[in-house]
Amino acid sequence: MFGIVRPCSHRLTEGLKTEWMAHLCGLCLALRSDHGQLARVVTNYDGLIVSVLTEAQVESSTGRRRTAGPCPLRAMRTAPVAQGEGARLAAAVSLVLASAKVRDHVADRDGLLKRRPVALAARKVAASWDRAGARTGASLGFDTAVLVDAVDRQTAIEALAGPGTSLLTVTEPTETATAAAFAHTAVLAGRPHNAEPLAEAGRLFGRLAHLLDAVEDRAADAASGAWNPLTATGTDLAEARRLADDAVHGIRLALREVDFVDSRLAHVLLAHELKQSVNRSFGTAGCAHGGDHPAHGSHQPGPYGSPPPGGPYAPVPGNPYGSPPQGEGPRPPAPRGFLAGCGVFAGLCCTCQMCCAKEYEGPWSRRKREGFFRDCDCDCCDCCDACQMCDGCGCCDCGCDC
């Protein structure tokens, strides 16, 4: 599972946490139902936002939830899960974009994909996901060609990008793809007047996702020699942080123009959690309640959100990319190839680590992740800090006057 929106359970009420899990499981099961078991590996945190936005615009009905059977990711518990057009659109978008990611790994000859038979098998899987996503998208009135075109243009843009190229030129294809997906939720919900502000929110969300991915991968890409938009364009962390903060602010403004029926979960994810995602990626304070857990921002922020010496993106003298020179510290672990990551993913699922472990290693990125229901080391949650992110909206139901 991957994505930039990974809410801490302390910032979600029990009701919103249940809703969030319903959409996550709904996306996973929609992938399985329409495209088979293997397709479930493309389940991701950001994809479920498409499902959340669709449901937030429609009137409550009895057909929005069904009870799913036991699952290792839920510690073998049953649970209500989202179903319907929103979950299926999220599945179609996730498939097409995951297919692009697989082709990118093949082109880069990552891990086992250096071997011709493995690369050939991965290409076949990617092609089947493209076709499956297109079929599901067509059944929902969504043309996934806009996503495929964005991916194709991304490769060409990256090949031409160099020092002095605007970073927004590099992020444009991602912005276009997410804008189309967000806007189509208004069509599915029968509220076409919402398409324009949702497209704007989607465009900025795509920009933010691309930026944060570049920031998080900066050190690892420097160590491996992989292409990174920040390094390629000569963009420093200060400018990246400015663009990220502007994107978060723009998303909040766009959401104010959307005619929602129930905006609570969408608002928390896109108005509150995106800011936390920016803080987490740049090494500033994470969870509002603090604590000793690594994801909760135990480091004090440095200039423009960079962490103190020794942090994951701390610059090292003589090395502009932030990775430690040979002999001066461990390098980030190399990401796993696609098929190797799938094997690790299956093991994590079967052992419930993705659900219950306090910390586990991401199957593909090898970054440290948190289990969905892990216990934090902290004693309380400063809800007021979260409320202040959007001028005292009171959406966290903490009862505070802020």
Side-chain angles (χ1 to χ4, degrees), residues 31-45:
L31 286 164
R32 184 198 66 180
S33 299
D34 289 350
H35 310 293
Q37 290 285 359
L38 180 60
R40 300 175 79 177
V41 302
V42 310
T43 302
N44 65 93
Y45 297 125

Side-chain angles (χ1 to χ4, degrees), residues 89-354:
L89 176 62
V93 171
S94 297
L95 276 172
V96 174
L97 296 183
S99 171
K101 191 175 186 68
V102 171
R103 290 197 299 271
D104 186 55
H105 281 304
V106 171
D108 292 341
R109 298 171 60 83
D110 290 335
L112 290 176
L113 295 174
K114 293 179 182 178
R115 302 179 181 179
R116 188 182 299 273
V118 178
L120 179 61
R123 287 193 188 97
K124 289 183 177 180
V125 170
S128 68
W129 284 350
D130 271 336
R131 292 191 296 271
R135 286 196 304 270
T136 299
S139 69
L140 299 170
F142 180 66
D143 186 1
T144 58
V146 66
L147 307 183
V148 176
D149 175 69
V151 170
D152 291 341
R153 287 190 297 107
Q154 185 74 55
T155 303
I157 289 172
E158 290 180 359
L160 296 174
T165 302
S166 171
L167 191 58
L168 299 186
T169 299
V170 179
T171 62
E172 180 275 324
T174 308
E175 296 176 20
T176 300
T178 50
F182 275 42
H184 198 69
T185 65
V187 177
L188 294 182
R191 295 177 182 265
H193 54 282
N194 283 341
E196 184 175 349
L198 284 173
E200 176 66 6
R203 182 179 67 82
L204 294 171
F205 183 88
R207 176 184 300 179
L208 189 62
H210 203 135
L211 284 171
L212 298 190
D213 183 64
V215 170
E216 291 184 353
D217 290 347
R218 186 168 173 257
D221 288 344
S224 65
W227 194 91
N228 184 283
L230 298 179
T231 304
T233 61
T235 304
D236 59 22
L237 284 179
E239 175 63 9
R241 180 63 191 252
R242 184 188 69 81
L243 291 172
D245 288 338
D246 285 351
V248 172
H249 182 64
I251 289 170
R252 291 174 181 170
L253 294 178
L255 290 178
R256 292 178 182 177
E257 305 300 320
V258 180
D259 177 20
F260 285 119
V261 174
D262 184 351
S263 65
R264 286 175 298 173
L265 182 57
H267 176 79
V268 167
L269 294 179
L270 293 174
H272 290 231
E273 292 301 327
L274 280 184
K275 182 63 176 178
Q276 296 296 328
S277 298
V278 172
N279 288 337
R280 181 171 58 242
S281 296
F282 282 89
T284 52
C287 183
H289 56 264
D292 298 328
H293 196 278
H296 298 156
S298 56
H299 298 306
Q300 293 299 315
Y304 303 106
S306 59
Y313 307 111
V316 176
N319 184 348
Y321 305 120
S323 59
Q326 187 173 3
E328 293 191 16
R331 293 186 181 277
R336 294 187 181 91
F338 172 70
L339 295 181
C342 289
V344 174
F345 176 85
L348 291 172
C349 289
C350 293
T351 57
C352 301
Q353 292 184 60
M354 298 182 80

Side-chain angles (χ1 to χ4, degrees), residues 333-378:
R336 294 187 181 91
F338 172 70
L339 295 181
C342 289
V344 174
F345 176 85
L348 291 172
C349 289
C350 293
T351 57
C352 301
Q353 292 184 60
M354 298 182 80
C355 178
C356 304
K358 176 170 289 189
E359 188 175 84
Y360 64 91
E361 188 176 81
W364 286 279
S365 68
R366 303 191 70 177
R367 299 193 191 100
K368 295 301 181 182
R369 306 293 192 192
E370 298 173 342
F372 295 132
F373 300 109
R374 87 280 179 271
D375 294 323
C376 292
D377 296 329
C378 53

